[in-house]
Amino acid sequence: MCFDLSMKQPIYLFILLLIIFMGGMVLSLTSGSINVTLSDLLIMLSSNEESLQHQLVLELRLPRALGAFVTGAMLALAGALMQVLLRNPLADPYVLGVSGGAAVAAMLAILAGLSGLLISGSAFLGAMLAMLLVFGLARGHGSWTPHRLLLTGIVLASGWGAVINFIMATSPDQVLRSMVFWMMGDLGYVQSVGSGYVFLLVGLLVCLPMARSLNILTQGELQAGALGVNVNKVRITIYIVASLLTAGAVTMAGSIGFVGLVVPHLVRLMGVTDHRLLLPASALLGGCLLILADTAARTIIAPQQLPVGVISATLGVPLFLYLLYHGLGRRP
Amino acid sequence: MTPVLQLHSIDIHIGDKLICRDLDLTVGRGECWAILGMNGAGKTTLLHSLAGLYPTAKGQITLNGVALGTMERKLIARSMGLLLQDYEDHFPGTVMDLVLTGRHPWLSAWQWESPLDKQLALTALEKVGLVAFADRQITTLSGGERRRAALATLLTQSPDILLMDEPTNHLDIHQQHRILTLVRDLVHEQNKTAVLVLHDINLAMRYCDHALLLYEDAKPLQGEINDVMTEKNLTELFKHPLTAMDGPNSRVFLPG
C-alpha cells in the first residue's frame, strides 16, 4: 500500500482528506441512538420539515460534529506549531501547560458555583494566564531557547497538575464529574462552535505566510537566521497562535489528548514535510479524526458515551504504528 | 578593492571571555579570508557576529556600508550566507527540500519555488556531487554528504559573501579540495567574497589570500596570507612548533 502522497501531488492528499471529511460528517450525522439513513439525511437537509429526527440531526448531531471537527483541527494545528517552536517531535499542544491553566481556572469556577459560559470563559482566561506565565518566565534575561521554553513549560504544567489534584482531592463528590470533563475532554457540551472556526481560520491565515520560515526553523534558529528568517518574530507569533488555538480547543471540549501530538506526525508519515501543506493538512486530518472518534465514542456502547480521548487513541495508535513501520521503512 | 564587510572597533565576548578587542577589519570584494586559531579561540563566534547572528559588545559591523543591525534579516541573507558547523535534523525532509530552503530570502511570503529555483538547486547539487541524492532523506546521509548538502543550500542561496565554518569538516581529502576549489572559483570568477574558518593551515595557505589569526590575548593579527602565516606567528598561535617548507603549490607547514 502506498502512503507516499508526496509534495508532487498535494492535490491528491487534500482530495483524500476532503473525502474522509465528508464521510466522517455523514457517518456522524446518521449514526447514534437513533439511526438515520443516508436518504433520510438528504431529504432532511433539503426540506424544512420539523420532525423529531430533523431536530436530532440538525440541532444535536450537526453542531457536535462541527464542534468535533474544529476542536480536532485546532489541536492538530497547535501541535504542529508547537513541534516546530520547541523543535521537538514529542511536543503537543498541552506540553507548556496551557490546558493545565484552563483546567485549574475551570475547576475554581465550578467550585465557585458558576455554570455554562462562565466556566468556559474562566477556562479561557486560565489558558491565557498559563501562556503568559510560561512566556514571561522562559524569557528570563532575554535568552529564549526552545530548551528553556520547554523546561519552563513542563515544570509549570506539573505545577498545574499538582493544583488540579489538590482541588480534586478536596472537592465535594457532586462536582467531581464535571471536573473530570476538563481532564479527559468531552464533545457533549460543545458551545460557541462559531468562535472556534474564527480561531482556526485566523490561526491558519497568520501561520500560512510563515510556513516556509517554519520549514527552515526546523533546521535550528541559527540556520533560520542565516537564511533571512526573523526568528524572534516567527517564534513569538507561532507561540501565541498555538497557545490561543489550544486555549480555544480546551475551552470547547476539555483536554482531548493524542490528536495534537499524533496528527502532524501522521501527515509527515504520508510524505508531507513542507509546512505550507503540513499545517492545513494537519488541521483537516485532526478535524476528521476527531469527528470519527466522537461518533464512535457516542455509538459503541450507546446510549452510554465513552470519553472521546479513549477512542481517538484507540483509532490513532494502530494507524500511527502502521504508518511508522511501513511509511518510514519504505524510505530509500 | 571595494570593501564589502567591515568591522569598526569591535569587542566580542563569550560569557566573561573577551575574544577580540577593538578589532578593525575590512574584507574586500573578491577576497578569500581564513580565520585560524586554537579550539575555543572564538572563531565560530566571530563568524556568527559577521553574519549578524551574535551580538557584539561594542563597535559596528557594516555590510556594503550599511550598519548590519539596521538591516532586515531577509536583505542580509540576500547578500551574505553562512555555512554552519552543526545541523539539527529533528524532522524528516529530502535533500531537495533542504537545498531549496536556500531560495527563502528571494521569495515573498506566499510565493512558491519556481522551476527556475529548482534548477538552481539542482545545479548546486551537481557542483557538490549530490544530484543522485536529491530525493534522499537528510537523516540518511553520512556526515560528509550532509556537509555537502548544506553547502549546496548555501550555493542555492547564492549570496555575494560566503561565511563558512569549517567547510571541510567531515570531508575526505578529495572532497576537501573539490569544495575549496569551488569556493576559490566563485571568488576568482564571480568576484564573490569568502570568509572561512579553517583548522588546516595548509588548506588555508593554498586556497585563501588573507588570514586573521585569533590569539588568546584578544589581539588578532591580520593581513595578506604570506605575511601573516609565518613559522613564528603560527607556532605562537597554536602553541605547537611548526616548520615552514616549500610545497608544490604554496608554502606548507609541518608540525615539529
Side-chain angles (χ1 to χ4, degrees):
Chain A
M1 205 165 167
C2 179
F3 270 102
D4 197 11
L5 297 157
S6 66
M7 301 247 307
K8 284 156 221 143
Q9 305 99 15
I11 191 78
Y12 295 131
L13 173 73
F14 285 95
I15 290 173
L16 176 72
L17 287 173
L18 277 180
I19 293 170
I20 299 176
F21 169 70
M22 291 195 290
M25 281 303 277
V26 168
L27 200 64
S28 165
L29 294 182
T30 51
S31 45
S33 47
I34 299 171
N35 279 318
V36 179
T37 62
L38 187 57
S39 54
D40 285 347
L41 184 68
L42 290 175
I43 294 167
M44 216 179 288
L45 291 174
S46 55
S47 75
N48 282 323
E49 167 212 1
E50 290 288 325
S51 68
L52 187 66
Q53 239 188 12
H54 190 266
Q55 249 183 0
L56 175 79
V57 169
L58 292 188
E59 284 168 31
L60 285 176
R61 287 184 194 168
L62 184 63
R64 182 164 176 163
L66 290 174
F69 179 82
V70 77
T71 305
M74 287 197 284
L75 287 174
L77 183 56
L81 293 173
M82 282 288 183
Q83 285 165 7
V84 180
L85 177 71
L86 300 169
R87 249 175 302 117
N88 192 323
L90 294 177
D92 77 0
Y94 309 133
V95 71
L96 298 184
V98 171
S99 60
V104 167
M107 286 173 176
L108 290 177
I110 293 169
L111 281 182
L114 303 178
S115 61
L117 274 177
L118 285 174
I119 298 178
S120 306
S122 51
F124 190 76
L125 287 179
M128 289 292 97
L129 178 73
M131 166 184 144
L132 289 175
L133 208 57
V134 173
F135 189 72
L137 290 174
R139 218 171 156 75
H141 305 290
S143 61
W144 210 67
T145 61
H147 253 85
R148 202 184 156 98
L149 188 63
L150 185 59
L151 280 175
T152 312
I154 286 177
V155 165
L156 284 176
S158 319
W160 292 119
V163 177
I164 290 168
N165 286 338
F166 174 79
I167 295 176
M168 291 185 75
T170 54
S171 292
D173 284 351
Q174 59 267 31
V175 296
L176 276 183
R177 207 172 158 70
S178 52
M179 285 183 173
V180 167
F181 162 83
W182 294 97
M183 309 294 301
M184 284 199 298
D186 186 342
L187 287 156
Y189 311 97
V190 162
Q191 299 164 341
S192 49
V193 173
S195 61
Y197 280 90
V198 174
F199 267 62
L200 179 64
L201 276 181
V202 172
L204 274 174
L205 280 177
V206 171
C207 291
L208 280 179
M210 291 189 176
R212 211 178 56 236
S213 299
L214 299 189
N215 291 342
I216 304 176
L217 207 53
T218 62
Q219 297 290 325
E221 265 120 72
L222 269 174
Q223 177 69 9
L227 280 172
V229 175
N230 186 338
V231 173
N232 276 333
K233 188 182 132 200
V234 171
R235 276 201 319 195
I236 288 173
T237 310
I238 57 177
Y239 175 69
I240 292 173
V241 171
S243 302
L244 285 174
L245 288 169
T246 309
V250 172
T251 307
M252 285 177 70
S255 331
I256 297 173
F258 197 74
V259 178
L261 170 68
V262 160
V263 168
H265 288 298
L266 278 175
V267 177
R268 286 193 191 99
L269 288 171
M270 290 174 184
V272 179
T273 53
D274 185 335
H275 285 81
R276 289 170 285 186
L277 303 172
L278 180 84
L279 296 179
S282 294
L284 264 173
L285 185 63
C288 294
L289 189 69
L290 211 55
I291 291 183
L292 291 172
D294 181 54
T295 307
R298 61 184 174 76
T299 50
I300 285 179
I301 51 164
Q304 220 190 325
Q305 305 203 351
L306 288 167
V308 67
V310 174
I311 305 294
S312 60
T314 314
L315 281 177
V317 170
L319 183 61
F320 185 78
L321 289 177
Y322 176 83
L323 278 180
L324 189 64
Y325 187 74
H326 292 272
L328 285 179
R330 280 192 324 99
R331 290 235 166 92
Chain B
M1 178 207 69
T2 328
V4 285
L5 192 59
Q6 284 179 293
L7 306 190
H8 309 276
S9 52
I10 290 287
D11 280 9
I12 299 173
H13 292 275
I14 308 176
D16 293 334
K17 191 188 163 198
L18 185 67
I19 61 163
C20 61
R21 176 180 292 133
D22 265 333
L23 176 64
D24 288 304
L25 173 72
T26 299
V27 177
R29 189 178 304 284
E31 290 178 352
C32 184
W33 282 74
I35 300 177
L36 292 111
M38 287 206 298
N39 293 143
K43 305 180 291 293
T44 296
T45 307
L46 174 62
L47 201 69
H48 291 176
S49 292
L50 289 180
L53 295 170
Y54 188 89
T56 52
K58 177 173 90 59
Q60 199 183 40
I61 302 176
T62 55
L63 174 62
N64 296 316
V66 184
L68 207 54
T70 64
M71 292 178 73
E72 249 186 85
R73 286 267 19 132
K74 197 168 180 171
L75 289 180
I76 297 175
R78 285 185 188 178
S79 40
M80 185 156 63
L82 172 65
L83 180 78
L84 292 170
Q85 198 175 347
D86 301 306
Y87 325 101
E88 298 180 37
D89 297 329
H90 298 294
F91 294 93
T94 65
V95 171
M96 191 55 166
D97 295 339
L98 177 77
V99 175
L100 272 176
T101 60
R103 296 313 293 162
H104 181 78
W106 302 97
L107 300 173
S108 69
W110 291 99
Q111 211 176 349
W112 285 66
E113 294 84 357
S114 67
L116 193 70
D117 293 319
K118 284 177 189 151
Q119 193 51 52
L120 282 170
L122 271 179
T123 311
L125 281 172
E126 209 169 310
K127 281 189 181 146
V128 301
L130 283 181
V131 175
F133 290 67
D135 291 327
R136 275 270 290 268
Q137 286 290 314
I138 43 173
T139 43
T140 66
L141 300 181
S142 76
E145 289 160 354
R146 182 65 183 77
R147 194 90 192 119
R148 286 185 282 146
L151 190 72
T153 311
L154 181 65
L155 294 178
T156 308
Q157 187 182 351
S158 73
D160 288 331
I161 306 168
L162 303 112
L163 308 176
M164 305 170 95
D165 200 350
E166 297 184 34
T168 53
N169 217 359
H170 297 300
L171 299 186
D172 60 48
I173 194 148
H174 167 67
Q175 293 294 350
Q176 290 182 4
H177 286 277
R178 172 182 188 163
I179 295 310
L180 288 179
T181 304
L182 185 67
V183 173
R184 190 175 56 188
D185 289 350
L186 285 171
V187 169
H188 287 176
E189 287 159 22
Q190 299 184 28
N191 216 16
K192 304 247 182 203
T193 309
V195 181
L196 317 177
V197 168
L198 288 172
H199 270 300
D200 190 321
I201 311 166
N202 295 322
L203 286 177
M205 276 311 297
R206 182 156 168 192
Y207 290 98
C208 298
D209 44 52
H210 288 74
L212 179 91
L213 311 185
L214 276 180
Y215 287 93
E216 276 191 321
D217 63 0
K219 289 181 207 148
L221 203 62
Q222 52 171 298
E224 293 208 13
I225 198 131
N226 285 315
D227 302 339
V228 178
M229 303 268 277
T230 60
E231 266 180 16
K232 179 176 164 292
N233 288 346
L234 291 175
T235 299
E236 209 175 301
L237 180 69
F238 290 107
K239 294 185 179 152
H240 192 92
L242 288 156
T243 312
M245 298 177 78
D246 285 329
N249 305 298
S250 59
R251 189 188 301 160
V252 293
F253 291 90
L254 294 179

